[in-house]
Amino acid sequence: DTGVSQNPRHKITKRGQNVTFRCDPISEHNRLYWYRQTLGQGPEFLTYFQNEAQLEKSRLLSDRFSAERPKGSFSTLEIQRTEQGDSAMYLCASSATGNTIYFGEGSWLTVV
Amino acid sequence: DQQVKQNSPSLSVQEGRISILNCDYTNSMFDYFLWYKKYPAEGPTFLISISSIKDKNEDGRFTVFLNKSAKHLSLHIVPSQPGDSAVYFCAASDRGSGTYKYIFGTGTRLKVLA
């Protein structure tokens, strides 16, 4: 049983460019989460899906951020017109019908 | 407004001794709690959970205690080992409201000294 897989693991981009991260959850996990973590902080909730439905979205998620989960399998998180403040680790997690969420290794974004 | 707080940014403990990591929350509706360990450049790893219907849950060297009246939980690691050195996060969710979103604390860095 493979864990949550995230790609790319590292991304360096110029300010103003768009970036997309992909997350493959644990097989048959119906809930998928996106979190963001910066240095010295805990994971900060961005959004979560149950199957293909996006059920909740943080107020912190500006219009430049969009997440999708077509067909309830993998998910993508796109950040448009990146800003230096977007530099962070983007974490994906998934869960089954239970309560524990399992995280991937994260995708580091550096905006220069 | 930080709903989940870990007021100790760091903690040092001798190998073999007990490590106690604390977590406070403000939302009395939180009914499920998780603890994670995180090494640098890796995602958080799940350790142990507790439901609000319990006041203790144990798994090997890890025990979590929940005091609902004080809105406080703690993670005990006995005995502490050098490999336990990491950042520990607590997280809470209000499942009763229909959400499965977890709110995380800011973490406590544990250093176990050999």
Side-chain angles (χ1 to χ4, degrees), chain B residues 5-6 8 11 13 17-24 33-38 45-50 55-67 72-80 84-91 107-110:
Chain B
K5 301 176 185 178
Q6 294 177 258
S8 298
L11 174 69
V13 171
R17 299 290 187 106
I18 184 171
S19 295
I20 300 176
L21 298 116
N22 294 305
C23 179
D24 296 290
F33 304 87
L34 306 173
W35 279 95
Y36 288 84
K37 174 171 74 174
K38 187 178 184 301
T45 301
F46 170 71
L47 285 174
I48 193 168
S49 62
I50 189 165
D55 53 19
K56 177 182 174 181
N57 189 26
E58 197 170 349
D59 184 0
R61 296 186 299 114
F62 302 93
T63 303
V64 56
F65 295 92
L66 175 61
N67 182 333
H72 176 83
L73 63 159
S74 60
L75 174 68
H76 293 210
I77 306 173
V78 183
S80 301
D84 296 329
S85 297
V87 179
Y88 289 77
F89 294 98
C90 62
T108 296
R109 181 177 301 279
L110 173 65

Side-chain angles (χ1 to χ4, degrees), chain A residues 9 31 33 35 37 40-45 48 50 55-56 89 91 97-106 108, chain B residues 2 32 34 36 38 40-46 49 87 89 91 95 98-107 109:
Chain A
R9 293 291 316 280
R31 292 192 201 106
Y33 302 76
Y35 281 81
Q37 186 172 21
Q41 300 297 314
E44 181 180 49
F45 173 77
Y48 90 95
Q50 180 146 318
L55 294 189
E56 197 165 342
M89 175 184 255
L91 291 160
T97 53
N99 297 301
T100 301
I101 62 173
Y102 297 91
F103 283 90
E105 296 292 308
W108 281 101
Chain B
Q2 189 73 23
Y32 206 82
L34 306 173
Y36 288 84
K38 187 178 184 301
E42 293 184 10
T45 301
F46 170 71
S49 62
V87 179
F89 294 98
R95 297 170 313 162
T99 183
Y100 289 87
K101 170 181 81 176
Y102 282 89
I103 306 297
F104 281 75
T106 52
R109 181 177 301 279

